[in-house]
Amino acid sequence: MLTVKDLLHIQSIEGIKVVAGEQGINNVISIVNIMENPDAFDWLSSNELLLSTGYIFKGNEELQNRIIRELAEINCAGLCVKMKRYFDKLPQNMIDHANKYGLPLLELPFTYPLSKVIAIINEKASGRYDLLNRRTLDMHNILFRIALEGGGIERISMELSETIHNPIIFLDRDWNLLHYTELEENPIPLEGSLHLIPNRPVFTRDFRDSIPSNMSEMKKSVKRIYHTKGQEIKCRILPVAVDHYIYGYIVVWQTVRELTEFDYIVLEQSSTIMALERIKAKEIEEVKLQIRQDFFDDLLTGKLTSTDTIQTLCDLHGLNSNYMYYCIVINMEPMDPERFEDMVVRKYEMDNLAKKCVELVYEDSSGASGEVTCFYRNQRIIIMVGQNEFRPNVTVSETKNYAIELHEKLQKQIKKTTFTIGIGRQYKSISSLHKSFSEAHEAIRLMQKFGSHGEVSHFEDYSVYHFLDSNIKEMELEDFFLKRLGKLYEHDNTYGTSFMITLENYFIHNHNVSEAAKAMFIHRNTFIYRIDKIKEMLGTDLKNSEELLQIQLALKIFRLLNKV
């Protein structure tokens, strides 16, 4: 075991001396590294001896003090500065800080190249690794056995906390709480300092944002300070990652004792075991979800016809088969779908996005006028709303209001994603739920056809379009449109007029000239002039009910055939 004190007796680097921080002279040296980057603190480990020419902190007293403090907090063995290059003598403020924090501050004679010093010290320090390797191998076997025996994150957390003698917090990739282990010796209890609600964020947004964006590539813990109730808590955060993809985080609430080199190695081992646990938990969850989704697939596609079978499966999956049901479908469209080249990573990301949506749906379920059952399938969230059969049917207006509020919440909470919501009609029997599901999908299809992405519509809003599109051939629709409104359409295309849009607004606003003119941002007299021209071109006074019906159907076809 090589210590800082032993360096003073190595003849091949004679002349090295300690100028401050002698309290730490017995610090163990595990490895030597060069520090010439002021942003390297997140990459350092316990018991490292850092060598430097002093270039990065010359003339910067604030950085000099920070380096001493940070190295001491990481439990580095010491800082050795090569003299005569940038310093004839080390600054007094660095000496004072080294004495304050007990970090050995050494001077290295100018004649020794840093590369040679590293080789000499690493050779001397290599002998201690046999004992450390045996200890870490034993710890790895303990953690791996816990995983094989199905102990889960609870036992892993307990073992890890007892080993490093500090409280442990396990979080998922969104910083939501999975599990935590407290210690009686902890002077700052977790419960009084953090929001320890399962599946909810534990730390503040500012704290989470301070974590490096390349955390998955680091494979080491980083130190961050968490501020709570006027106190500063030192936390060590380690990513639980596989192939640069983060599955969660391990956070050490470092309030009982400082971490040793062995502790850091154990943390990295725990990270690997935790990644396996998260992958395993996800696989189990997917199997359960698949069984549930198979039932819903059969229900929503109308494959279940037996009343007894429906009753049994509804009881198993928590549905009331006596309720009246309607269906809402939410289509998710990420604004940058190609940001994940790996298909597996992209699927995992979309699954997490869908889970967030399902959680938000349940949080907002009180506005649905019934019991909500929600799940996701591919890129769509499916909501089934069951209402007591003795209550009045839910109205189109009520369902749309609920869906609009839900849409606003989703857009606010989940960024860079567009949501389009389709709503089906309510049916008396759950065996007819597949009709409502189909209608919700149809509403989304027609919204997308008309370019209405990111909106909310009930099937009733598009029932005429659905009827025309599903039952009449396109050639016949085209022929009907041209016979009724072909003159207006050709006039608009030839002369750049807006007679078709004017006529649409005339019907949208129930023949109210003032409201229609206002919607088009034109003068009322201009609108009246256009209507008169339309009457003249069509040879009608727009009063005959049969003619009005045909014109309105032609306008629907105008949109359906995308002739805008």
Side-chain angles (χ1 to χ4, degrees), residues 331 333 407 411 418-421 444-456 462:
N331 185 62
E333 294 183 32
H407 184 268
Q411 291 286 182
T418 300
F419 298 94
T420 304
I421 301 181
I444 290 176
R445 185 186 74 84
L446 290 169
M447 276 191 283
Q448 292 174 337
K449 184 180 181 69
F450 297 146
S452 302
H453 294 272
E455 295 185 6
V456 176
Y462 289 95

Side-chain angles (χ1 to χ4, degrees), residues 166-167 186 188 190 193-194 226 233-235 251-255:
N166 276 293
N186 179 15
I188 308 174
L190 296 174
S193 307
L194 299 169
Y226 187 73
I233 310 300
K234 191 190 304 182
C235 296
V251 180
V252 181
W253 191 257
Q254 196 173 319
T255 54

Side-chain angles (χ1 to χ4, degrees), residues 233-459:
I233 310 300
K234 191 190 304 182
C235 296
R236 301 296 307 191
I237 302 104
L238 186 71
V240 176
V242 175
D243 194 24
H244 302 314
Y245 189 79
I246 291 179
Y247 289 89
Y249 299 91
I250 299 173
V251 180
V252 181
W253 191 257
Q254 196 173 319
T255 54
V256 180
R257 71 165 172 82
E258 297 293 328
L259 299 181
T260 65
E261 181 185 8
F262 174 69
D263 295 333
Y264 285 109
I265 295 174
V266 171
L267 276 171
E268 292 177 21
Q269 292 176 337
S270 300
S271 170
T272 302
I273 300 297
M274 268 297 296
L276 295 175
E277 283 294 315
R278 295 300 296 151
I279 293 172
K280 181 175 71 176
K282 184 176 182 298
E283 291 297 326
I284 294 173
E285 180 184 345
E286 285 185 350
V287 170
K288 292 180 179 178
L289 185 63
Q290 186 63 51
I291 294 172
R292 182 176 170 85
Q293 286 182 338
D294 285 345
F295 160 66
F296 287 137
D297 284 348
D298 290 343
L299 183 65
L300 295 173
T301 54
K303 292 180 181 179
L304 297 177
T305 56
S306 167
T307 303
D308 292 339
T309 302
I310 291 176
Q311 177 70 55
T312 301
L313 291 174
C314 282
D315 292 342
L316 180 64
H317 294 283
L319 294 179
N320 191 321
S321 60
N322 295 319
Y323 278 9
M324 301 181 294
Y325 279 91
Y326 67 91
C327 193
I328 298 175
V329 176
I330 305 173
N331 185 62
M332 303 184 300
E333 294 183 32
M335 295 180 183
D336 50 349
E338 304 303 324
R339 69 179 183 273
F340 297 107
E341 295 181 4
D342 190 307
M343 290 181 62
V344 176
V345 172
R346 185 178 187 278
K347 182 181 183 302
Y348 191 81
E349 183 69 18
M350 291 302 298
D351 284 350
N352 278 309
L353 181 65
K355 287 178 184 178
K356 286 184 186 179
C357 293
V358 171
E359 289 177 6
L360 290 171
V361 168
Y362 278 118
E363 286 178 8
D364 208 42
S365 60
S366 59
S369 301
E371 292 187 11
V372 168
T373 301
C374 183
F375 61 97
Y376 64 93
R377 202 72 165 128
N378 299 322
Q379 289 185 215
R380 294 196 169 182
I381 310 299
I382 300 165
I383 307 171
M384 300 184 299
V385 183
Q387 187 185 50
N388 190 298
E389 67 273 23
F390 299 111
R391 290 183 58 185
N393 286 8
V394 63
T395 66
V396 172
S397 177
E398 288 171 341
T399 56
K400 287 185 70 173
N401 287 338
Y402 163 61
I404 289 170
E405 291 176 3
L406 181 59
H407 184 268
E408 291 174 353
K409 187 171 186 178
L410 290 172
Q411 291 286 182
K412 182 178 180 181
Q413 297 287 334
I414 301 177
K415 307 298 184 184
K416 297 182 179 179
T417 305
T418 300
F419 298 94
T420 304
I421 301 181
I423 311 166
R425 292 177 289 193
Q426 187 181 56
Y427 287 86
K428 293 287 186 182
S429 169
I430 194 171
S431 61
S432 300
L433 182 62
H434 65 280
K435 297 178 182 178
S436 184
F437 175 68
S438 177
E439 291 167 355
H441 270 284
E442 180 67 358
I444 290 176
R445 185 186 74 84
L446 290 169
M447 276 191 283
Q448 292 174 337
K449 184 180 181 69
F450 297 146
S452 302
H453 294 272
E455 295 185 6
V456 176
S457 287
H458 194 284
F459 177 73

Side-chain angles (χ1 to χ4, degrees), residues 113-180:
L114 294 184
S115 58
K116 182 178 180 180
V117 174
I118 289 175
I120 293 170
I121 297 177
N122 281 343
E123 182 182 358
K124 297 289 184 181
S126 61
R128 68 181 293 273
Y129 273 103
D130 288 340
L131 176 60
L132 184 61
N133 286 339
R134 285 197 296 271
R135 289 183 66 199
T136 55
L137 180 61
D138 290 342
M139 193 65 210
H140 172 79
N141 290 336
I142 290 172
L143 293 173
F144 196 68
R145 187 172 65 250
I146 290 174
L148 288 177
E149 293 174 353
I153 62 173
E154 292 82 3
R155 282 185 57 194
I156 294 173
S157 175
M158 186 179 300
E159 186 70 37
L160 180 59
S161 182
E162 290 176 357
T163 301
I164 69 175
H165 213 65
N166 276 293
I168 293 292
I169 306 161
F170 279 141
L171 309 170
D172 68 14
R173 69 186 310 271
D174 298 311
W175 292 85
N176 297 318
L177 178 65
L178 294 174
H179 186 73
Y180 70 94

Side-chain angles (χ1 to χ4, degrees), residues 64-131:
Q64 293 167 4
N65 296 341
R66 181 188 169 209
I67 286 174
I68 299 295
R69 184 180 70 254
E70 291 278 358
L71 296 186
E73 289 181 348
I74 297 169
N75 290 334
C76 287
L79 173 64
C80 185
V81 181
K82 183 175 180 177
M83 305 306 294
K84 302 298 182 183
R85 186 88 180 265
Y86 298 105
F87 292 96
D88 290 327
K89 64 177 183 178
L90 291 175
Q92 187 61 42
N93 60 287
M94 291 187 72
I95 293 173
D96 293 341
H97 271 68
N99 287 327
K100 176 182 177 181
Y101 291 103
L103 178 80
L105 184 61
L106 302 93
E107 290 183 351
L108 177 69
F110 176 74
T111 53
Y112 294 109
L114 294 184
S115 58
K116 182 178 180 180
V117 174
I118 289 175
I120 293 170
I121 297 177
N122 281 343
E123 182 182 358
K124 297 289 184 181
S126 61
R128 68 181 293 273
Y129 273 103
D130 288 340
L131 176 60

